[in-house]
């Protein structure tokens, strides 16, 4: 996420960072009013001063017997000159006031009003979205609690069933009992003092009472006769109710009005008559009865049909819902087992069904919350970028206002040039970008690190989603050391680097500021918890795919390099960087990374390998490496808790630079340590001497020729005894039948140099490794199999340069010697062929 407002004002609850930002923006609105007040009062003062200057000449003329008597005197001319200059000064000051009003006050006041509306509109929109998100988060917590409670009840029933069937004789001795049908009374309705949610708004009881009063007065209320069931009083059609909702409750569409009507049905204000179910629809054929609860809340008298005499024929018209007979009929109809959707359901089956239903509700609520969160983050980024432009425009406007203000004065009164110079100096000191950077550095609340609410399965399954799931759990579910999403995206990028034109385009995909909405679109497509084909990624641009990988790393519960070692990394670069050598620092980093889990190490190795090969093959300069490390820093290592201190620290950036520069030294030792850990039992067992006799005759002849060439006297070997089998020890270098040096450990220490005990075997140039195989011809399996993404396809422009280094690199730019060194030597004992 790029730096700026969109990457600096984030917090775990979203509202904290936005509160700080909009507090500063509202402060800017007040600053605009202060500057506008200064300009307006200066214009008023100039006009008052001009009027005072204009009143000087008439006041002096009212004095008789003065300069008017002496028309030719030089003193009078001087006086008239002074009076004329006084009048001219008054005109100049009037012009100053007019210029200030025309150039500063009028346009800047209109701009300030529009700017305040923009800021307030963005703040209101984001606050409403955050409220919706918070309500859905609360609903997720409730559904999760219900789901867990249902699962516990199911487990309790299962345990009771197991205990109940342990003694079959006692069960057989008991006589079966008939199930007595019971009448379940309807539960009392919720209290009337609780808020009621209609659509996206929540109304207090007093507001609900006013709305219902107005609805009863406005909506047409009549009676409906339903065959068999009878006559229903106090009814309204669904179309009339929908029309009222659209007109008076500001419903933007018919579907939203139907949603509000359904909420009224669920709240117990309406009920559907003459049809099965309790759904609300915008239809003139569907009628709804206002329930007694509405009339009790509003105090409006309820219209009831008077009780008719019931004849012996019991006509159907007498069975109205408001009559005693209709009430009994409705009560018995609700008790009738035929209306039960699950008539033969046992209590245990009902609990399991309710557990499944609560699970589905919980899943649906989590998905809805995730969708709301994504929409909220997209809206926040759009508004934050818009607010950044607005704030920058405000600072530029202030700069322009000061310039116009000084121009209005300087163009009229040259004598005030010194004042104007000072004002010009003041406007030159205003640096919009510097003020914006100051705001970011002093008031930012944290970088963009999304907090994902994941679906927590009761049985600890992570097959429902990929983003936000713990890295080790995701890798364990994928049965890989590196999660499939990481390897799939890196492989996809490797395969599509050659499709891009030029190294600049290949390097640039990791620095492009991709819109979050497009990244969320790809996230939704692959956030299934399962393997996805490459065809899904083919639908998106390559920068979007790279942005999805960065978003995946940001949404991890813990950073790739765990936040638990953040203080250790901080100590490394705070204390050891100045007084320790580079080898010591690399060794400390390697031991620190060794504390991570295997999935984190393998994933970090795969990602680091990908970027180091990209940097090498595209000949990236220092500027690109710096920008890439800054972009990846929050993805690789984050502190456990963001604070004003950690936001300005660059230890994550320095760690990534060391990973790029010393990848082989760090991860080679980590791989070897991991291999020794996983094969420690086999490493302690002494290796048997190879008994391969396939080249025995050739070795014997070669040894004979060497003896003859030296012409040194040597006794012939005694013939073997009858019935015995003799094995000759071959001599020579690695070209003989033995794949290792047969000298003693002391001799090897004296001749093999000083190899550290933690170095990977085969890392030296004299290691007997050819083409990634041991000298015995057996492929050595890699200690940590890296994903396929570690091989970057070679762009065509590098083919010529790498062909000149054919002895060092293969066709894809990888060093064969380095691959062989990372594999080491594999020894294998085989039986002797006599």
């Amino acid at each position: 996420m790029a730096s700026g407002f969109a990457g600096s004002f984030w917090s775990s609850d979203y509202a904290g960072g936005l509160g700080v930002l909009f507090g500063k923006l509202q402060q800017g609105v007040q600053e605009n009013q202060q500057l506008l007040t200064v300009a307006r009062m200066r214009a008023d003062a100039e006009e008052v001063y001009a009027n005072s200057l204009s009143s000087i000449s008439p006041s002096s003329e009212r004095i008789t017997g003065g300069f008017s008597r002496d028309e030719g005197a030089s003193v009078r001319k001087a006086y008239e000159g002074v009076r004329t200059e006084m009048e001219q000064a008054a005109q100049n000051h009037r012009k100053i006031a007019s210029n200030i009003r025309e150039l500063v006050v009028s346009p800047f006041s209109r701009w300030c009003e529009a700017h305040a509306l923009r800021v307030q509109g963005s703040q209101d929109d984001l606050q409403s979205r955050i409220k919706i998100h918070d309500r859905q988060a609360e609903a997720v917590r409730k559904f999760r609690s219900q789901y867990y409670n249902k699962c516990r009840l199911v487990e309790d029933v299962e345990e009771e069933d197991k205990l109940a069937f342990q003694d079959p004789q006692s069960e057989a001795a008991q006589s079966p009992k008939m199930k007595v049908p019971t009448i379940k009374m309807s539960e009392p309705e919720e209290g009337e003092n609780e808020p009621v949610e209609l659509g996206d708004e929540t109304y207090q009881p007093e507001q609900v009472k006013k709305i219902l009063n107005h609805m009863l007065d406005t909506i047409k209320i009549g009676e409906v006769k339903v065959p068999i069931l009878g006559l229903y009083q106090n009814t309204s059609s669904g179309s009339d109710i929908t029309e009222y909702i659209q007109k008076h409750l500001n419903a933007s569409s018919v579907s939203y009005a139907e949603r509000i009507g359904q909420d009224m049905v669920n709240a117990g204000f309406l009920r559907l008559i003459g049809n099965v179910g309790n759904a609300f629809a915008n239809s003139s054929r569907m009628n709804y009865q206002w329930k007694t609860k509405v009339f009790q809340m509003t105090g409006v008298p309820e219209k009831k049909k008077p009780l008719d005499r019931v004849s012996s024929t019991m006509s159907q018209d007498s069975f109205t819902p408001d009559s005693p007979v209709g009430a009994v009929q409705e009560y018995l109809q609700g008790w009738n087992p035929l209306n039960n959707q699950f008539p033969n359901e046992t209590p245990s089956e009902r609990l399991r069904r309710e557990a499944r239903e609560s699970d589905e509700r919980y899943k649906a609520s989590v998905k809805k919350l995730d969708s709301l969160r994504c929409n909220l983050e997209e809206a926040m980024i759009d508004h934050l970028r818009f607010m950044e432009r607005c704030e920058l425009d405000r600072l530029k406007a202030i700069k322009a206002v000061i310039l116009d203000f000084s121009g209005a004065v300087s163009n009229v009164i040259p004598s005030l040039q010194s004042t104007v110079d000072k004002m010009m100096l003041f406007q030159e000191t205003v640096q919009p970008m510097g003020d914006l950077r100051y705001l970011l550095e002093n008031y930012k609340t944290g970088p963009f690190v999304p907090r994902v609410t994941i679906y927590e399965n009761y049985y600890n399954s992570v097959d429902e989603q990929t983003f936000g799931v713990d890295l080790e759990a995701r890798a364990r579910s994928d049965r890989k050391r590196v999660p499939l999403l990481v390897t799939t995206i890196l492989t996809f990028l490797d395969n599509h680097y050659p499709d891009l034109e030029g190294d600049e385009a290949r390097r640039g995909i990791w620095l492009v500021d991709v819109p979050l909405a497009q990244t969320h679109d790809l996230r939704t497509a692959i956030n299934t918890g399962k393997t996805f084909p490459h065809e899904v990624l083919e639908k998106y641009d390559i920068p979007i795919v790279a942005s999805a990988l960065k978003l995946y790393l940001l949404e991890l519960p813990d950073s790739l390099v765990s936040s638990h070692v953040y203080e250790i990394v901080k100590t490394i670069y705070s204390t050891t960087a100045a007084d320790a050598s580079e080898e010591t620092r690399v060794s400390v980093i390697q031991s620190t990374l060794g504390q991570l889990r295997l999935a984190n190490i393998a994933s970090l190795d795969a990602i680091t390998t990908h970027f180091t090969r990209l940097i090498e093959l595209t000949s990236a300069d220092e500027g690109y490496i710096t920008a890439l490390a800054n972009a990846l820093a929050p993805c690789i290592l984050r502190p456990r808790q963001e604070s004003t201190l950690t936001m300005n620290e660059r230890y994550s950036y320095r760690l990534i630079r060391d990973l790029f520069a010393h990848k082989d030294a760090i991860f080679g030792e980590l791989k070897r340590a991991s291999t020794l850990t996983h094969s420690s039992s086999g490493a302690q067992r002494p290796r048997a001497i190879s008994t391969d006799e396939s080249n025995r005759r050739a070795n014997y002849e070669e040894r004979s020729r060497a003896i003859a060439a030296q012409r040194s006297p040597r006794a012939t070997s005694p013939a073997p005894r009858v019935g015995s089998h003799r094995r000759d020890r071959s001599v020579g270098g690695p070209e003989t039948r033995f794949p290792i040096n047969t000298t003693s450990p002391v001799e090897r220490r004296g001749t093999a140099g000083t190899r550290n005990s933690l170095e990977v075997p085969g890392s030296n140039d004299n290691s007997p490794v050819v083409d990634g195989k041991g000298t015995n011809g057996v492929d050595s399996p890699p200690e940590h199999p890296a994903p396929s993404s570690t091989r970057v396809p070679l762009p065509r422009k590098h083919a010529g340069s790498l062909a000149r280094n054919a002895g060092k690199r293969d066709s894809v730019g990888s060093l064969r010697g380095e691959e062989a060194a990372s594999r080491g030597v594999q020894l294998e004992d085989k039986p002797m062929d006599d």
Side-chain angles (χ1 to χ4, degrees), residues 703-814:
R703 185 170 67 250
S704 300
R705 287 195 299 269
I707 294 174
Q710 293 179 0
R711 296 181 182 276
S712 60
R714 179 170 178 172
T716 59
S717 301
R721 298 187 300 273
V722 178
S724 65
H725 181 78
R726 178 176 178 271
R727 298 176 182 174
D728 292 337
R729 181 184 299 275
S730 62
V731 297
E735 69 276 0
T736 62
R737 62 186 177 88
F738 287 96
I740 60 173
N741 192 1
T742 58
T743 57
S744 63
V746 177
E747 295 172 348
R748 285 200 300 269
R749 284 195 299 268
T751 59
T754 59
R755 183 178 73 84
N756 193 298
S757 61
L758 295 179
E759 292 181 2
V760 180
S763 60
N764 297 329
D765 295 335
N766 57 359
S767 300
V769 179
V770 179
D771 232 1
K773 299 181 178 181
T775 54
N776 55 359
V778 180
D779 290 335
S780 300
E783 296 165 346
H784 277 285
S788 59
S789 62
T790 57
R791 291 185 175 272
V792 180
L794 177 65
R796 296 179 179 177
K797 65 181 290 186
H798 293 286
S801 62
L802 294 182
R804 293 191 296 269
N805 299 327
K808 297 181 180 180
R809 303 177 183 267
D810 57 10
S811 60
V812 296
S814 62

Side-chain angles (χ1 to χ4, degrees), residues 389-462:
R389 294 196 301 269
C390 291
E391 182 65 11
L392 186 59
D393 291 342
R394 186 187 73 86
L395 296 173
K396 291 181 179 178
I398 291 178
K399 182 181 179 72
V401 163
I402 296 177
L403 181 62
D404 294 338
F405 189 84
S406 61
V409 177
S410 63
N411 293 335
V412 178
I413 306 179
S415 61
L416 298 178
Q417 191 63 44
S418 59
T419 304
V420 173
D421 292 339
K422 293 180 181 179
M423 296 173 66
M424 294 292 293
L425 179 62
F426 293 152
Q427 70 88 17
E428 288 179 359
T429 58
V430 177
Q431 299 294 331
M433 295 303 298
D435 288 355
L436 193 65
R437 185 168 54 252
Y438 171 81
L439 190 152
L440 290 173
E441 292 177 353
N442 291 276
Y443 294 97
K444 62 183 179 180
T445 58
F448 173 67
V449 179
R451 300 290 189 268
V452 182
T453 303
I454 63 172
Y455 164 66
E456 301 177 42
N457 187 272
Y458 183 77
Y459 303 100
N460 297 325
S461 174
V462 295

Side-chain angles (χ1 to χ4, degrees), residues 684-704:
Q684 296 175 358
R685 177 173 54 87
R687 187 179 301 277
I689 299 176
S690 175
T691 57
D692 185 7
E693 294 290 332
S694 58
N695 298 324
R696 178 177 180 180
R697 183 178 180 84
N699 294 330
Y700 177 80
E701 292 176 356
E702 183 179 358
R703 185 170 67 250
S704 300

